[in-house]
Amino acid sequence: MTPTTEQIATWFDTFNRDYFAGSMPRPRLSLGHSRTRLGSMACRRRRTLLGWKNSDFAIRLSTYYDCTERELQTVLLHEMIHLHIWHEQLKDASSHGPVFKAGIEKKNKEFGRHITISTKMKREVTKVVRMKWNLVAVCRMTSG
C-alpha cells in the first residue's frame, strides 16, 4: 500500500484523539523513500528565557517497502510516541529509553497494538519509476 499524506493526516488525527486525548499538535506529515528507516520524527529545539522549547514537529513515513495499512499505522504510532515525549518535554535516557518503552507497552496493552522499537523488512519493495537522464555532447573540431 502506498498511502497519501491525506490518509496519514486522517490516521494521525484519529490516533491523537483516541490514544493521546488530542493533546498533540499535528506535525508536518510527509512521505519519503528511505530504505533504512520506516519512519522518523524531528523537531526544532530552541532556547528561550524560560528554558528549552520544542516546535516545528515533523513525521515522515517511508514508502520504500510494500507495507500493509496496519503496518504503516504502527510505524506512525511509533513516531507519535516520540512526538508525545518531545511535545510534553519528558526526560528519557535515550531515544528508545525507559519512557519510550513504557509508552509502547501502554499503547500495546490498551489498544491491542504491536508497536515495536525496530523491525526487519524483507518484503517486496515498491516499484518507483525514475527517469534517468543521459546527457550527450557533440562537437565538431576544426581539424575534422
Side-chain angles (χ1 to χ4, degrees), residues 38 65 71 116 118-123:
L38 292 175
Y65 295 98
E71 289 169 333
T116 60
S118 66
T119 187
K120 300 273 186 203
M121 294 303 294
K122 295 181 180 178
R123 295 220 172 114

Side-chain angles (χ1 to χ4, degrees), residues 1-9 11 30-32 38 61-69 71-73 76 126:
M1 170 189 190
T2 303
T4 63
T5 52
E6 291 78 20
Q7 283 176 311
I8 295 171
W11 295 343
S30 62
L31 298 169
L38 292 175
L61 299 183
S62 176
T63 59
Y64 184 82
Y65 295 98
D66 188 19
C67 296
T68 65
E69 183 174 328
E71 289 169 333
L72 287 168
Q73 289 175 348
L76 178 61
T126 57

Side-chain angles (χ1 to χ4, degrees), residues 8 11-13 18 21 24-25 30 35-37 46 48-49 59 63-64 102 105-106 110 121 124 133 135 143:
I8 295 171
W11 295 343
F12 179 89
D13 293 340
D18 297 345
M24 298 185 295
S30 62
R35 184 177 59 85
T36 58
R37 294 174 185 241
R46 60 188 164 100
T48 66
L49 293 173
I59 290 178
T63 59
Y64 184 82
E105 289 175 20
K106 181 179 179 186
E110 283 181 31
M121 294 303 294
E124 287 284 320
W133 292 90
L135 179 62
S143 62

Side-chain angles (χ1 to χ4, degrees), residues 38-133:
L38 292 175
S40 63
M41 195 288 299
C43 69
R44 176 177 290 170
R45 189 165 193 234
R46 60 188 164 100
R47 189 178 196 101
T48 66
L49 293 173
L50 302 173
W52 290 95
K53 180 165 174 60
N54 300 324
S55 63
D56 298 330
F57 298 101
I59 290 178
R60 180 184 215 74
L61 299 183
S62 176
T63 59
Y64 184 82
Y65 295 98
D66 188 19
C67 296
T68 65
E69 183 174 328
R70 179 95 172 168
E71 289 169 333
L72 287 168
Q73 289 175 348
T74 300
V75 174
L76 178 61
L77 282 166
H78 174 111
E79 300 309 329
M80 288 178 73
I81 293 170
H82 283 299
L83 174 62
H84 177 72
I85 290 169
W86 279 91
H87 182 258
E88 299 297 322
Q89 296 186 350
L90 303 175
K91 302 285 186 214
D92 204 353
S94 66
S95 61
H96 294 127
V99 173
F100 182 83
K101 289 176 183 173
I104 283 179
E105 289 175 20
K106 181 179 179 186
K107 301 305 178 208
N108 286 342
K109 185 180 271 189
E110 283 181 31
F111 301 101
R113 288 283 178 170
H114 300 288
I115 306 166
T116 60
I117 290 177
S118 66
T119 187
K120 300 273 186 203
M121 294 303 294
K122 295 181 180 178
R123 295 220 172 114
E124 287 284 320
V125 175
T126 57
K127 294 182 180 175
V128 174
V129 177
R130 295 183 189 243
M131 296 288 286
K132 187 173 182 178
W133 292 90

